[in-house]
Amino acid sequence: MQNIYTESCPLWDRGPSRYSEYPACTQTVLSDKITENTKEKGRREHMSFVGLTFFKDHIIGYGDTKSSRFVGGAFQDDKKRQRVPKIFKTRDYIVCTYDINSFKTVGEDSKEIFIEDWLKENMNEVTYPEDLFKRFHDYLMKHENLLALNEYVRFFAGYIEMGQRVYVKAVINKMELSIKRQYVVEPFPVYGGANEYVEYFNKNPMLLMSNEQDIKENIKQAVDKFDEELPYNSVGGDIIVKTWSPQK
């Protein structure tokens, strides 16, 4: 696969922009590595499998719905949460999330904040995913009783504006906000989550360069494979696939 020339910059490199508070950036090269998998350690690292595939005039998002709990030093199914959506879209963009899917609060009113609920309540309030991620980080910072120090929420987002495909990646916890934005020149998939799945699709990324039904079936085949091979498969449940395209 050829290198893709993009524009990329972190949140703090702000400059003038016509469409958002987020910047026009210097040109860089996106390497042949077409996946995004992270190495930070956490209680629930590398959970789920989600991704986006960028085509000329649409973006396909996909993800599993399994939820896991860390109990007694091992992972197990979260029986209380049977189906956790990880793909969301508005008229303006599509976003997927992986690794942890909730934060816990401490104190007398201890409870759990579910990321999918927060996204549903806030996504339509902003036009750009960059602004959504900043809004989410602000939310974590303002709630002193919210535990969000050592666990990360990771996002992929995409949209097409004036014919230009834009890919946005974010890593967020209470003490850190990292946002990078890249322009996509040619079709490609970006995906992340459980290491086994990232390595599996690294070997044949074309499995994710198809239509909704084929992508869904290819992910299901991977789930069946790792159900047999792994002591605990952190990916599973219904596979959700959604297509986003710009509003005419």
Side-chain angles (χ1 to χ4, degrees), residues 182-221:
Q182 299 170 336
Y183 293 115
V184 178
V185 175
E186 60 186 50
F188 81 109
V190 56
Y191 44 89
N195 290 330
E196 296 84 2
Y197 286 81
V198 171
E199 293 171 1
Y200 176 87
F201 286 104
N202 277 349
K203 295 177 182 178
N204 192 356
M206 294 305 294
L207 293 174
L208 300 173
M209 292 290 297
S210 187
N211 57 49
E212 280 192 9
Q213 187 58 39
D214 286 347
I215 290 173
K216 187 173 185 176
E217 289 301 319
N218 290 335
I219 296 175
K220 283 183 176 180
Q221 289 180 16

Side-chain angles (χ1 to χ4, degrees), residues 86-170:
K86 300 162 189 174
I87 304 293
F88 309 86
K89 65 178 183 177
T90 71
R91 61 174 287 122
D92 298 307
Y93 57 90
I94 185 169
V95 60
C96 57
T97 178
Y98 69 105
D99 281 352
I100 72 167
N101 50 49
S102 66
F103 284 121
K104 291 185 177 180
T105 64
V106 295
E108 295 181 359
D109 60 342
S110 179
K111 61 181 180 179
E112 197 163 7
I113 305 299
F114 301 118
I115 306 250
E116 68 267 24
D117 293 340
W118 188 93
L119 288 172
K120 291 174 183 177
E121 292 173 2
N122 289 269
M123 283 186 66
N124 288 298
E125 299 297 318
V126 297
T127 303
Y128 294 92
E130 297 97 322
D131 298 322
L132 178 72
F133 302 145
K134 177 62 166 59
R135 188 184 184 106
F136 181 60
H137 183 252
D138 289 344
Y139 171 81
L140 297 181
M141 291 287 290
K142 290 176 181 176
H143 289 73
E144 295 182 357
N145 67 336
L146 193 61
L147 291 178
L149 295 177
N150 299 314
E151 297 179 325
Y152 291 84
V153 186
R154 308 181 196 277
F155 296 95
F156 298 140
Y159 57 95
I160 300 172
E161 187 172 61
M162 300 182 66
Q164 178 66 64
R165 292 167 292 197
V166 183
Y167 157 50
V168 183
K169 176 180 66 174

Side-chain angles (χ1 to χ4, degrees), residues 25 33 41 51 54 59 67 70 80 88 90 115 127-128 132 134 159 172 178-179 186 203 206 216 225 238 245:
C25 315
K33 182 183 178 184
K41 299 298 180 182
F54 290 79
I59 302 169
S67 182
F70 191 72
K80 294 182 179 180
F88 309 86
T90 71
I115 306 250
T127 303
Y128 294 92
L132 178 72
K134 177 62 166 59
Y159 57 95
I172 304 171
S178 173
I179 300 176
E186 60 186 50
K203 295 177 182 178
M206 294 305 294
K216 187 173 185 176
K225 168 184 168 64
D238 295 337
S245 57

